[in-house]
Structures are given as structure tokens and as C-alpha cells.
Amino acid sequence: MNANSDNRTITQKAYDEAVKRGVCPLFKGTETLEELMRLLNSTQGIEFMQDHPDYPLDTLRLAKPYKVERFGVYIDAGEIVLNNPPRKLLLIGNTTAIITIDKAHRCRLGLIGGAKADVTAKDYACVFIRKQSGSLCTYKALDHAIIK
């Protein structure tokens, strides 16, 4: 099997699991791995995961070897430190992040599958947090920063 067929297999497995739970109409099952990660890391993707805590994380873990961090998705990444992360950031499973945003920057952070984060926002940073039950996030806003 080549990387493209592996990626399609991951996408198809993710789609099959989503269909069982009332798939989001944005998800067609024909996406590339990059498209799947971007969809998962969208507001609708995080809402879907919040609404379906029974979604098997093992399906998403199939994508881990493909370095999905480049899409802002961290799967079972262990302990990580992120400074001024991408605008869209998703932490999944066994991931514990210390996140600092110290400039005028906007970030939407999603946590699913028990992921944890400690967020410090400074200056004029804006951070929007969405989390699935079982995931934890502590945060502090300094200066003029906003965290919601």
C-alpha cells in the first residue's frame, strides 16, 4: 500500500464511524488526509466530536504517523509546549499542552478525548476554547487578552 491509499483508508474508516453517528454533511468520505484533518479541526468538526464522545479515537490515531501536527492537530503527542500556535489548534487523546500566546493573535483551541491544556494569553491575544467532556483546560488572560 502507498501513502495515498493509506490516507484514503484512514478517511474511509473515519467516515464509516461518522455515518454511524449521523455524519456532518460537510464530510463526504472522499477527503484527503489533509482535508480530513482540516475538517476535524473546524468548528463543525469539534462540535461533532463534542456531541459524539463515543467516537473511537483509535480511528483518528491511524493518522498520527503522517505528522498531522502540520495541520494543527496533535494526537497522543504527550507533553508539548506551543508558543503562538496556529490559528486553529486541536489536541486529541494523550496530549498535554502548555500554550502561550504573547502577541496580538487569535487562536481557536479544541480538546477532545481527554486532552489537557494550560493556556496563558497576553497582550491582545484572543483564545476561544471548545472542549469535549473529559478534557481539561486551565487558562489565564493577562493584559488585554481575552479567553472564552
Side-chain angles (χ1 to χ4, degrees):
M1 259 189 176
N2 64 34
N4 283 341
S5 63
D6 286 349
N7 292 346
R8 289 286 179 205
T9 301
I10 294 166
T11 300
Q12 190 58 51
K13 285 182 180 182
Y15 181 76
D16 292 345
E17 289 296 337
V19 166
K20 295 175 188 176
R21 291 157 180 84
V23 67
C24 168
L26 296 174
F27 192 9
K28 305 296 182 209
T30 57
E31 290 81 359
T32 64
L33 182 61
E34 179 177 357
E35 291 167 337
L36 173 63
M37 292 298 111
R38 292 198 191 286
L39 183 59
L40 182 62
N41 199 2
S42 70
T43 300
Q44 296 87 346
I46 293 171
E47 286 175 359
F48 178 84
M49 294 303 290
Q50 284 179 302
D51 293 343
H52 302 285
D54 63 325
Y55 189 93
L57 293 182
D58 288 344
T59 302
L60 301 177
R61 288 180 172 118
L62 295 172
K64 184 174 172 50
Y66 297 96
K67 303 194 184 330
V68 293
E69 298 86 5
R70 61 195 157 124
F71 309 125
V73 179
Y74 291 79
I75 302 171
D76 294 335
E79 294 182 10
I80 58 174
V81 176
L82 300 169
N83 294 306
N84 300 312
R87 290 178 56 106
K88 294 181 179 179
L89 181 64
L90 180 61
L91 309 178
I92 300 172
N94 184 22
T95 303
T96 301
I98 297 173
I99 301 168
T100 303
I101 302 170
D102 60 6
K103 61 181 182 178
H105 181 72
R106 179 180 169 176
C107 179
R108 200 245 317 112
L109 169 63
L111 298 103
I112 61 176
K116 299 175 184 139
D118 180 32
V119 179
T120 301
K122 303 175 185 175
D123 196 14
Y124 286 91
C126 292
V127 183
F128 302 93
I129 300 168
R130 302 290 305 259
K131 63 183 185 66
Q132 190 181 54
S133 61
S135 294
L136 301 171
C137 187
T138 58
Y139 55 86
K140 60 184 164 203
L142 306 172
D143 305 321
H144 302 283
I146 298 170
I147 299 178
K148 293 184 176 190

